[in-house]
Amino acid sequence: MASVKANSLAAQLLRTGQVVAIPTETVYGLAADATNPAAVQRIFEAKGRPQDNPLIVHIAGQEMLAQVVAAWPPAAKRLADAFWPGPLTLVLPRAGGIAPAVGAGLATVGVRMPAHPVALDIIARAGVPLAAPSANRSGRPSPTTAAHVLQDMAGRIPLVVDGGNSPVGVESTVVSLAGKPTVLRPGFVTPAELSEALGQEVALAPSVQGPAEESGPVESPGVKYRHYAPKAKLTLVEGPLPAFAAFVAVKSTETPGVYAMCFTGEEKTLAVPAVPYGAEDDPKTQAAGLFAALRQLDEAGAQQVYARMPAGGGVGLAVRNRLLRAAQFRVESET
Ligand code: TXA
Ligand code: MG
């Protein structure tokens, strides 16, 4: 687990331009000094990340904001006061001191103050804002434990700081304040909570619910890439449990390596091996368990996974968004 010694070693490596994996409350991040272009480049290399996908910058206190953003409109202050430290990223005009590669060609930057004591301590010790995407190899499910980070990053980075399980389990809500407040990526902070704090409705980018347009302008470049995907082929199944159980039973007679991803307690009613990802009526537990379940299915050698479709309300919007992308929008309806 993280210790003062581990945190100060992390800060030392970060100050010398190295990449370090750190825990946050959402998922583990692959951090580097956001003001150092060579350090930022190392993130893209370690992750295998396309250069046109921008990184989120993490701060330990609002006094660091001046180094990161070139504007701080009233809407930003409202949302930061309501949700920071916490799982909310604000997209704003970028300050000159941030390495341009962080913005991946955009004039903006995503910034957040994470609600994890280890992350906050490491940022404060490093003394610089840290660029940090999720600490998975590009395209893989995001890591919610130090062990997940090692599965993807062993031999590629010098240090993973272990801060235990990431309690939220899905990445931060990304809200653009560059124009009309718009959710670019759903997360733990819901559109209803954002609208209430802002005193105005937030818009939802089309990519929140459906596939990103191949053509046309992309508001959040990250959404167009293959994401969160296990090695197994994943398909979501809409419909009640008895229909799901019948469906997977038939599928398992047709193809080998069929697994189910189900809600807690459903395993025993299914004729195929199953990994639960959370309680049917509690999307927060689904968010917390989602990525670990996807990795567990790979470990088990699953070739074809059928997953129960979550209801989309509240945090469920984020769970649905991640599962749809992991499944590359393959959905079957069974009634
Ligand atoms: O919870 C999180 O946000 C985690 C932890 C480590 O903090 N980080 C994370 O980073 O999820 P990443 O790189 O996996 O996702 C960043 C997302 C992408 O969808 C990217 O396109 C979007 O944020 N993003 C970053 N900067 C942006 C910008 N300037 N404009 C629009 N979208 C941006
Ligand atoms: Mg990511």
Side-chain angles (χ1 to χ4, degrees), residues 24 26-30 47 49 53-56 58 89 91 102-103 106 108-110 112 132-134 136 170-172 174 184-185 219-223 227:
T24 86
T26 56
V27 300
Y28 275 68
L30 202 57
K47 226 183 124 76
R49 184 174 178 107
N53 191 358
L55 310 177
I56 292 170
H58 298 68
T89 295
V91 174
V102 168
L106 301 171
T108 52
V109 65
R112 85 176 188 99
S134 51
N136 50 286
V170 288
E171 307 84 347
S172 61
V174 178
L184 303 181
R185 178 178 74 182
E219 294 126 294
S220 190
V223 301
H227 258 328

Side-chain angles (χ1 to χ4, degrees), residues 141-239:
S142 298
T144 55
T145 68
H148 293 165
V149 179
L150 285 173
Q151 286 172 356
D152 285 15
M153 292 294 159
R156 308 183 72 89
I157 57 172
L159 180 67
V160 180
V161 179
D162 186 349
N165 284 9
S166 294
V168 169
V170 288
E171 307 84 347
S172 61
T173 306
V174 178
V175 177
S176 173
L177 296 176
K180 178 176 156 36
T182 303
V183 176
L184 303 181
R185 178 178 74 182
F188 195 77
V189 178
T190 65
E193 290 169 334
L194 292 165
S195 299
E196 195 186 325
L198 278 173
Q200 102 184 72
E201 275 305 296
V202 292
L204 297 186
S207 56
V208 168
Q209 318 242 36
E213 287 292 334
E214 299 284 328
S215 52
V218 176
E219 294 126 294
S220 190
V223 301
K224 70 175 186 253
Y225 291 105
R226 183 177 153 88
H227 258 328
Y228 318 116
K231 291 169 191 141
K233 184 176 174 195
L234 178 69
T235 304
L236 306 187
V237 184
E238 198 127 40

Side-chain angles (χ1 to χ4, degrees), residues 1-18 20-23 117-127 130 159-162:
M1 292 295 276
S3 64
V4 168
K5 215 167 133 193
N7 295 4
S8 85
L9 175 59
Q12 212 177 314
L13 289 164
L14 289 162
R15 278 197 305 270
T16 58
Q18 299 304 305
V20 172
I22 64 169
V118 175
L120 291 171
D121 186 51
I122 290 172
I123 302 165
R125 283 170 188 269
L130 298 181
L159 180 67
V160 180
V161 179
D162 186 349

